[in-house]
Amino acid sequence: MIVFNSGESYLDTRGKLLFNNTLDLSIFKRLYIIENRNNSIIRGWQGHKVEQRLFFASQGIFSIRVVKVDDFDNPCHGLTSQEYILKASTFDSLLVSPGFATAIKALENESQLLCFSDYLIGETNDDYKFDIGIWK
């Protein structure tokens, strides 16, 4: 399951508040930030059988391509991915359930992607990497 959720904002004389109040963050155990060296780098494909990830663009804009992996040991090369655009200016989020792989690309230099995981480091051995050219 993939869930894209547009954020919201409130503006008054004090400034701007970005929020995404419909998300339940209670299942997540850790967080980290991805900042690509430049906007030509694509981080992927990386997938998880049991872990899920929640992504927010905390600065800039990201393209995240997501594909449902049919077989983590010998995946089909003809699988189709779906692209999601996350913008810090609208505080969008993307929940990627277990069984998917992602390819992440910053669309602006100095973009930062805030990532949440529902497992701690070392709690699972669930990191699968695939060649960047395997899926479009």
Side-chain angles (χ1 to χ4, degrees):
M1 172 175 62
I2 305 298
V3 179
F4 176 82
N5 190 343
S6 293
E8 298 180 59
S9 64
Y10 174 77
L11 181 64
D12 66 14
T13 57
R14 299 169 293 171
K16 186 176 188 179
L17 176 69
L18 296 172
F19 56 94
N20 206 317
N21 291 339
T22 60
L23 292 174
D24 179 3
L25 299 175
S26 63
I27 64 168
F28 296 101
K29 295 183 178 182
R30 67 182 174 97
L31 65 100
Y32 54 95
I33 290 178
I34 294 173
E35 183 175 341
N36 289 348
R37 183 175 305 275
N38 60 54
N39 61 0
S40 66
I41 293 172
I42 301 173
R43 292 166 108 46
W45 290 94
Q46 182 169 329
H48 304 280
K49 283 184 182 179
V50 298
E51 294 184 45
Q52 62 184 327
R53 297 285 194 274
L54 178 64
F55 300 103
F56 285 93
S58 57
Q59 182 173 312
I61 303 172
F62 279 87
S63 164
I64 302 180
R65 297 201 69 82
V66 181
V67 65
K68 175 77 171 146
V69 180
D70 61 336
D71 182 338
F72 277 84
D73 297 318
N74 188 25
C76 174
H77 288 226
L79 300 176
T80 303
S81 67
Q82 176 72 39
E83 181 181 35
Y84 297 89
I85 304 296
L86 300 183
K87 299 176 184 177
S89 63
T90 51
F91 209 49
D92 302 325
S93 70
L94 182 67
L95 176 65
V96 179
S97 293
F100 288 85
T102 58
I104 298 169
K105 183 178 190 299
L107 300 180
E108 296 178 347
N109 285 331
E110 299 182 13
S111 292
Q112 292 184 341
L113 189 65
L114 182 60
C115 311
F116 292 82
S117 174
D118 60 342
Y119 283 86
L120 297 172
I121 294 287
E123 206 173 1
T124 67
N125 185 15
D126 188 43
D127 196 21
Y128 296 86
K129 294 185 190 299
F130 306 97
D131 183 85
I132 193 62
I134 191 170
W135 301 301
K136 300 284 183 218

